[in-house]
Amino acid sequence: MIWDALLLQLGYNATLVAIGATLLGVSAGITGTFLFLRKRALVSDAISHATLPGVGLAFLAMVAFGGDGRNLAGLMVGSALSAMAGLWCLNWLTRNTRLAEDAAIGAVLSVFFGFGIVILTVIQTLGVGRQAGLEGFLLGSTAGMLWSDALVIAGGGMATLLLILLLRRPMTLVAFDPEYAAARGIRVSRVDMMMMGLVMAVTVVGLKIVGLILIVALLIIPAVTARFWTERSDLVVLLAGLAGGVSAYLGAAMSASAPNLPTGPIIVLMSFTLFALSLLLAPNRGVLAAVLRHLRFQRQVHLRQGLLAMAQDQVIYEPLTLRLLRRSGLIRADGVATEIGRARAAKALRDEHRWALVRSDQTHEAAAALYDGLREIETVLTPDQIKDIDRRIGGPREVPA
Amino acid sequence: MNGAEFVPLSLTPLLIGIFAAVACALPGNFLLLRRQALIGDAISHVVLPGIVVAFLITGAISAGPMMLGAAGAAIVAVVLIELIRRLGRIEPGAAMGVVFTTMFAGGVLLLEQTDTSTVHLDVEHALYGNLESLIWLDATGWSSLLDPAALRYLPAELPRMALTLLGVGLFIAVFWRALKISTFDEGFARTLGIPTNLLGLALVITAAIAAVAAFDAVGSIIVIAMFICPPAAARMMSNRLEGQVGWSVVFAITSAVFGYVLAGYGPLWLGASDAVSAAGMIATVSGLLLAIAALFGPCRHCAGAPAGV
């Protein structure tokens, strides 16, 4: 069943939903990256919650004009309008009052959402037929989705994606370095507005699939995931799109394969899985890499200190140092230095003397700055320079056995 | 509106609404000033999986385990956010977004996977709450307030919410000076020997307790709205912390009362027959109050002093 779903064998509707979700995931991942890098990730939370009254009012309006209240395109227009109103309130509050952006976000999202709930209860009590499914906008529902709905979503996802491709240059610049962008003559506030417009578009398209409470996840999580893997801006954007697309596709396919697997939550959990894997495994920024780095550093420090202690004939008490020295074959089990151990210890002490000279000599200033107690002197100075230093500190001394 | 109608049907939900609003608004003041306003939002989202898990473990809808589950989930969320922020070196907003959406999604999935439709536990209930249904049927009028037999059937949410409010109020009162100093000048607070990190954690835990108690009674929308809107509106009214907290309490009570009355009677005045969501209406009214304060409040601008001084 799950293979059928993954290979798009569950019928026309499910296939369209999966394609639409994938397109949405890609656009959400990419848009979210710009938002995340601009440090405004939670603005999307306000925008998505602000769509609810629009959905309700659009439903009421369509019913009032004698149409079918559940027309998806109409509901999307309504949600876009109220999201715009919410965004405008958010901007106005941050710019014209003393409220910080986070307070304004919270105020907008709770008030718009509360008002949306009021309108939903009005619709319920009106008893207008066929209002069922409107709650689906809260958490998303793809079951019972009409073919035309799926088409609207797939089309909307595609359009958003195209728009992002067109706007990616200025948005990347502004997200990474607003000052540089401004210096290049880019109107930062206008680009910010376009970015918010795109977030709105993604939210509106995603309402039916993921629901307005969870769409935030699709905007934030893939971007954070991608950031673990690379430092390059265009790669972050690409990876975020990939992560969003993959999780949306897997989530949509899985939820179609069995009952009681709501699409929105599954997609969110998929993208969180990718996030958790990245947090653990990513090179450089990942937790595992950091742990390995720490262990390697610790080993180096202990070995170095151990060798220096041996060279100066001091007793080593630190168990970790002893273990490391023994495992590298530098000392025997009874703590006496081996042949190699004595050689290495002599070399370590000699390097330390060399470094001392390098650091006291003005001509080696650049090299001296690289001293951290671990760096091999050969990696910093040329053989000729080292020979010169050796001449100044005298011949090698014998290490006491 | 006479006592025979008001006391059984409206008094308890109204009081619960007021208590919940004030209990959230009080810590909300400090969260707002500390730029942690969205913690209320995060907590109210993660409460859902906590409640579902508590239900799955105990198999019963009862207040005790639910509160424990919700509080546990809130703590898990705070720890997770901190962990992701530190381990992944991610800005706090994004870390929060990752955690609360994922936990909420997990809660919804658990709800759908387990057959909880037979009991009164669903997502809509979690969002809207059921303030309207917390009625006190055994009351016959004002005299019931002194009648032990009727008082025994008072909705359990009322004393619980009152206790929570008392606890929150006590916390704020006892630590007032420390909270005030550490909110405005953390470095100075530390030199005075105030454990600022611990105090910040205690504040978040207090907020979580208020959120969980209110969530149980009135749903999550009120929680978010009351954490942010009354303090934000109060911020436009006063430059002094005392004034801000005072105003926020006034705004919270006003939103609760007006919201409840408008939800219950507003549609009747307009000729409709049924009430609308009280929680939603309370949030809406608090937003309107914020809008009015933002337009006309004496201290609405960024500069410290009120205009004309």
Side-chain angles (χ1 to χ4, degrees):
Chain A
M1 191 71 180
I2 181 81
W3 286 116
D4 287 348
L6 285 177
L7 297 171
L8 301 174
Q9 299 296 310
L10 286 180
Y12 221 31
N13 223 352
T15 304
L16 260 185
V17 169
I19 293 174
T22 311
L23 288 173
L24 172 75
V26 174
S27 7
I30 294 177
T31 316
T33 308
F34 298 116
L35 210 56
F36 167 62
L37 294 173
R38 197 91 175 85
K39 298 200 173 18
R40 299 186 77 191
L42 286 176
V43 172
S44 57
D45 204 17
I47 293 181
S48 63
H49 282 77
T51 54
L52 188 60
V55 171
L57 288 174
F59 178 89
L60 283 177
M62 285 190 283
V63 169
F65 286 109
D68 177 8
R70 286 187 305 171
N71 181 306
L72 186 61
L75 295 177
M76 279 161 98
V77 171
S79 63
L81 287 177
S82 82
M84 236 184 277
L87 196 56
W88 184 84
C89 289
L90 176 62
N91 279 336
W92 190 88
L93 278 177
T94 14
R95 207 167 311 140
N96 295 326
T97 72
R98 68 201 314 193
L99 287 187
E101 186 167 45
D102 66 329
I105 288 173
V108 166
L109 87 85
S110 59
V111 173
F112 272 73
F113 196 64
F115 184 55
I117 297 292
V118 168
I119 293 178
L120 279 194
T121 50
V122 168
I123 293 173
Q124 269 166 9
T125 55
L126 275 182
V128 194
R130 311 212 291 159
Q131 95 271 7
L134 219 49
E135 282 86 10
F137 282 95
L138 289 176
L139 297 168
S141 66
T142 49
M145 188 190 275
L146 299 176
W147 189 67
S148 57
D149 295 352
L151 214 57
V152 169
I153 290 169
M158 186 104 76
T160 321
L161 201 55
L162 278 176
L163 231 78
I164 295 171
L165 288 181
L166 284 177
L167 297 175
R168 71 185 188 288
R169 288 309 307 164
M171 288 204 305
T172 317
L173 268 179
V174 170
F176 273 93
D177 198 341
E179 271 134 47
Y180 174 64
R184 289 265 314 254
I186 292 173
R187 296 266 293 275
V188 174
S189 64
R190 186 175 293 176
V191 175
D192 268 340
M193 221 155 71
M194 293 191 304
M195 201 185 288
M196 292 304 149
L198 277 176
V199 172
M200 222 167 64
V202 168
T203 310
V204 167
V205 173
L207 276 185
K208 186 75 186 174
I209 297 183
V210 197
L212 61 90
I213 303 183
L214 290 175
I215 187 79
V216 185
L218 274 192
L219 284 161
I220 296 180
I221 302 181
V224 181
T225 307
R227 188 68 186 82
F228 279 115
W229 294 92
T230 174
E231 304 284 321
R232 288 188 44 197
S233 63
D234 40 355
L235 275 182
V236 176
V237 172
L238 271 182
L239 283 176
L242 189 72
V246 166
S247 29
Y249 178 71
L250 288 179
M254 265 180 79
S255 88
S257 69
N260 288 339
L261 288 179
T263 319
I266 296 278
I267 293 179
V268 174
L269 291 175
M270 281 288 148
S271 73
F272 180 75
T273 311
L274 286 183
F275 162 81
L277 287 177
S278 307
L279 175 68
L280 287 179
L281 301 179
N284 278 327
R285 287 178 67 117
V287 171
L288 197 65
V291 169
L292 288 179
R293 212 162 36 231
H294 175 75
L295 285 180
R296 200 168 56 232
F297 179 69
Q298 193 182 32
R299 235 182 76 112
Q300 278 178 330
V301 170
H302 277 266
L303 266 180
R304 176 104 189 152
Q305 294 304 321
L307 285 173
L308 286 178
M310 280 162 64
Q312 286 156 332
D313 208 17
Q314 290 159 348
V315 188
I316 302 168
Y317 295 105
E318 177 64 37
L320 178 62
T321 314
L322 287 172
R323 207 165 57 235
L324 285 171
L325 286 172
R326 213 174 297 138
R327 221 190 303 150
S328 329
L330 299 176
I331 56 171
R332 297 203 309 254
D334 57 1
V336 179
T338 62
E339 202 62 31
I340 317 168
R342 280 166 55 195
R344 286 275 303 274
K347 163 95 166 60
L349 189 61
R350 184 159 185 78
D351 279 354
E352 206 57 23
H353 288 309
R354 287 165 169 167
W355 270 115
L357 192 86
V358 168
R359 289 166 72 200
S360 64
D361 187 347
Q362 288 291 319
T363 52
H364 292 297
E365 203 173 355
L370 293 171
Y371 175 80
D372 57 5
L374 290 177
R375 207 180 286 266
E376 297 289 336
I377 198 158
E378 289 86 354
T379 62
V380 180
L381 299 177
T382 62
D384 285 348
Q385 284 174 312
I386 293 178
K387 222 176 276 170
D388 176 50
I389 290 168
D390 283 351
R391 225 177 357 254
R392 284 158 65 185
I393 57 179
R397 267 159 282 182
E398 186 66 27
V399 172
Chain B
M1 213 184 314
N2 58 358
E5 203 178 299
F6 176 76
V7 175
L9 293 181
S10 291
L11 180 66
T12 42
L14 201 54
L15 281 179
I16 292 171
I18 292 173
F19 291 165
V22 177
C24 291
L26 280 178
N29 277 300
F30 293 97
L31 292 179
L32 185 85
L33 291 170
R34 288 163 171 250
R35 300 274 169 107
Q36 293 179 315
L38 286 172
I39 278 192
D41 181 30
I43 292 175
S44 63
H45 278 90
V46 303
V47 158
L48 180 71
I51 286 186
V52 178
V53 170
F55 171 75
L56 291 180
I57 292 173
T58 61
I61 297 267
S62 53
M66 297 243 159
M67 301 271 275
L68 275 182
I75 291 170
V76 168
V78 170
V79 170
L80 267 183
I81 292 172
E82 207 52 30
L83 212 65
I84 288 182
R85 200 168 68 81
R86 297 243 170 104
L87 287 182
R89 275 162 293 158
I90 294 166
E91 53 138 341
M96 194 188 269
V98 170
V99 170
F100 80 72
T101 51
T102 303
M103 287 183 73
F104 189 77
V108 174
L109 184 65
L110 274 179
L111 261 186
E112 298 278 332
Q113 279 288 295
T114 52
D115 189 27
T116 46
S117 54
T118 46
V119 292
H120 194 61
L121 182 68
D122 52 49
V123 179
E124 278 154 50
H125 173 218
L127 292 173
Y128 311 0
N130 57 344
L131 190 55
E132 299 89 338
S133 66
L134 298 174
I135 48 180
W136 183 23
L137 279 178
D138 294 82
T140 50
W142 288 108
S143 56
S144 300
L145 285 175
L146 300 171
D147 178 9
L151 277 177
R152 268 204 307 158
Y153 294 99
L154 202 66
E157 282 84 356
L158 182 59
R160 207 181 303 140
M161 205 60 240
L163 256 175
T164 311
L165 174 59
L166 197 69
V168 171
L170 266 179
F171 171 78
I172 304 274
V174 169
F175 294 103
W176 175 265
R177 212 179 93 85
L179 275 172
K180 184 174 172 177
I181 297 173
S182 71
T183 296
F184 288 108
D185 192 341
E186 197 166 349
F188 178 56
R190 227 174 282 133
T191 62
L192 287 182
I194 296 171
T196 47
N197 287 335
L198 208 65
L199 195 66
L201 189 68
L203 179 68
V204 171
I205 290 175
T206 309
I209 292 171
V212 170
F215 180 90
D216 175 49
V218 292
S220 65
I221 308 169
I222 290 198
V223 176
I224 311 173
M226 289 303 127
F227 264 117
I228 296 173
C229 290
R235 185 105 173 80
M236 322 276 187
M237 303 301 291
S238 170
N239 276 325
R240 296 176 51 79
L241 184 63
E242 291 79 5
Q244 185 190 322
V245 172
W247 274 109
S248 75
V249 171
V250 171
F251 285 138
I253 294 175
T254 316
S255 335
V257 173
F258 269 88
Y260 183 78
V261 171
L262 272 182
Y265 301 96
L268 299 182
W269 298 333
L270 293 175
S273 54
D274 294 290
V276 296
S277 159
M281 206 45 148
I282 292 177
T284 310
V285 172
S286 75
L288 290 178
L289 287 177
L290 172 61
I292 294 170
L295 284 173
F296 306 110
C299 305
R300 61 185 182 277
H301 290 298
C302 303
V309 175

